[in-house]
Amino acid sequence: MERFDVAIVGASIAGCMAARCYAEHPLRIAVLEKKPAIESYKVLCTHFIQPVALPVLRRYKLDRILEDHGAVATKAAFHTEAGWINPAGPYSNDPAQAHAYNIDRQTLDPLLRAQLLDHPAVALRFDSPVRCVAVQDDGRYIVHYGDEAAPRSIDAALLVAADGRQSTVAKLVGNQENRYDNERAVYYAYFDGIEPPVDNRSLFFLAHAEMAFVYPLSAGRTLLCVAIAKERAKRWRSDGNLAARILEFYEQFPDVPALSRARCTSRVFGYADYPNISREPVWKNIAFIGDAALSLDAMAGVGCGFAMVAAEMLVDSTAASLGANGHLALALEAYRKRFAEVFAPHARAIMGDSLMPRSATELIRAQELFAHMSRDSELQDKFISLTGRLISPQKFQLAYLSALSKSPRPRA
Ligand SMILES: Cc1cc2nc3c(=O)[nH]c(=O)nc-3n(C[C@H](O)[C@H](O)[C@H](O)COP(=O)(O)OP(=O)(O)OC[C@H]3O[C@@H](n4cnc5c(N)ncnc54)[C@H](O)[C@@H]3O)c2cc1C
């Protein structure tokens, strides 16, 4: 049987990034993908890559490759009831955290796989759904994959599940999912005839508890996406013509790019229900990365970036331990800890934001926050950094509390 150091299940963002990072080490890597070809891609995604992923993209020189293929460097700007949160300049003066990207998955997924195709250390296999995994006495894994009638098998020291939200590996080995409500539905479509916003900003319009996005893409295309209450989504579905409903939704906002010449060039994609899901990042000495470990509300737009960062984190924690005398279990524990440290605070905050406000007080608190931010440029920078996942929610909260304590108290 063929022997590998690492077997990765799934050749999408998390799996390809992990393979790319492991390939810098003297290791043999197998990547097993159930989809049929390099051109396959994840259809359901609005593909905003947060700046938290820029360091890993730069480390492996993927930033240039993405830009050469049409990735649009961008930064988030938010329109709130108190006005714009749109500080000038990049996310950060550090070029490694300067911007986000918009790049369609149709381009991104094949590009990431192309980095592995001719690599001598990587065996990338399509049409290879993993069906069964078994652990041996020495702790190595046997992975059975491919056609049910003629299954093939490989043997690997480390098994990595990068097989997405519905993770087959998690089901096979009993890594249970935890589900948390998401009270919004999402619909989006691609348009042309919309001028890109100034500086290629990606615009987020907030209305009470709902949101509308404008993402500039390459070749004059724009992605319009709305995250709306489920009741509204239900009405839209029964009314029909979702593309028209999406465009109408933007009419309530000021400063929206002109939509009079917007022409929908795709079908409307989206979901009616998409709970947040988390699993253990390490289970029975198997590593879980990307959506297989943490799949959050699409409104936060963090899944692609987090998948890249988790892949790098796993490889940095484990690559040196995959040799003959390595302590793989300890290395996996280091990955588990790091994963929890970095992602858990964001996950908790995003899961909270997935719920609609429960009371008028909650709505008023959000309005107060935005009103305060509109007068405080430092806090605006911090907010934008938080949404790019460059700082933790706690760091933002501390900055907000400190700003509140300095602001003049209203007279009694
Ligand atoms: C509507 C929507 C909008 C989104 N918008 C954004 C956004 O703007 N920004 C953002 O960062 N994130 C966004 N996300 C989330 C993002 O799409 C995911 O977080 C991201 O794709 C996770 O990457 P992954 O590699 O972990 O998993 P996936 O991309 O799901 O890849 C899993 C791979 O595993 C393969 N696979 C599955 N089972 C098997 C098996 N048994 N054997 C072999 N291979 C298998 C699959 O074919 C697939 O290629 C959005 C999600 C949705 C639903």
Side-chain angles (χ1 to χ4, degrees), residues 43-271:
V43 174
L44 208 55
C45 186
T46 53
H47 43 71
F48 183 85
I49 302 180
Q50 300 286 0
V52 69
L54 193 54
V56 59
L57 289 169
R58 283 165 58 98
R59 179 173 171 188
Y60 295 98
K61 302 192 171 39
L62 295 165
D63 55 333
R64 285 288 152 79
I65 298 177
L66 263 51
E67 284 173 29
D68 287 348
H69 289 80
V72 174
T74 184
K75 180 185 172 191
F78 290 80
H79 185 273
T80 72
E81 284 157 51
W84 279 102
I85 300 170
N86 185 13
Y91 277 92
S92 155
N93 290 328
D94 176 358
Q97 300 189 324
H99 57 79
Y101 280 125
N102 284 318
I103 175 167
D104 351 24
R105 297 292 297 260
Q106 193 169 358
T107 308
L108 177 65
D109 293 16
L111 261 186
L112 292 176
R113 296 189 187 116
Q115 308 311 307
L116 311 175
L117 267 189
D118 298 324
H119 201 293
V122 182
L124 172 57
R125 294 178 187 163
F126 295 101
D127 240 335
S128 299
V130 166
R131 301 186 183 282
C132 178
V133 297
V135 64
Q136 304 170 86
D137 291 345
D138 60 0
R140 292 178 67 91
Y141 276 89
I142 307 251
V143 183
H144 303 284
Y145 67 97
D147 199 336
E148 252 171 319
R152 288 169 285 167
S153 308
I154 55 170
D155 164 313
L158 174 63
L159 177 58
V160 178
D163 53 348
R165 186 174 163 87
Q166 309 292 345
S167 178
T168 307
V169 176
K171 286 179 192 125
L172 290 172
V173 302
N175 189 358
Q176 302 281 341
E177 66 180 33
N178 302 300
R179 285 183 163 236
Y180 306 88
D181 284 351
N182 175 354
E183 294 180 344
R184 291 182 194 80
V186 158
Y187 290 113
Y188 68 93
Y190 296 83
F191 292 80
D192 58 20
I194 302 173
E195 281 296 308
V198 175
D199 294 335
N200 274 332
R201 288 286 199 258
S202 293
L203 309 179
F204 298 78
F205 294 87
L206 275 56
H208 303 290
E210 298 177 307
M211 208 192 276
F213 317 165
V214 177
Y215 289 170
L217 297 170
S218 60
R221 292 165 315 131
T222 302
L223 187 149
L224 297 183
C225 172
V226 298
I228 53 176
K230 286 183 176 170
E231 262 312 303
R232 186 192 297 280
K234 205 168 153 190
R235 280 199 309 275
W236 283 15
R237 282 195 302 277
S238 64
D239 290 354
N241 198 351
L242 284 171
R245 301 288 91 74
I246 291 176
L247 284 171
E248 280 162 20
F249 190 73
Y250 286 77
E251 287 171 6
Q252 64 185 299
F253 302 109
D255 303 341
V256 171
L259 298 178
S260 53
R261 293 173 55 201
R263 191 178 62 95
C264 187
T265 58
S266 70
R267 69 179 174 90
V268 174
F269 305 90
Y271 55 72

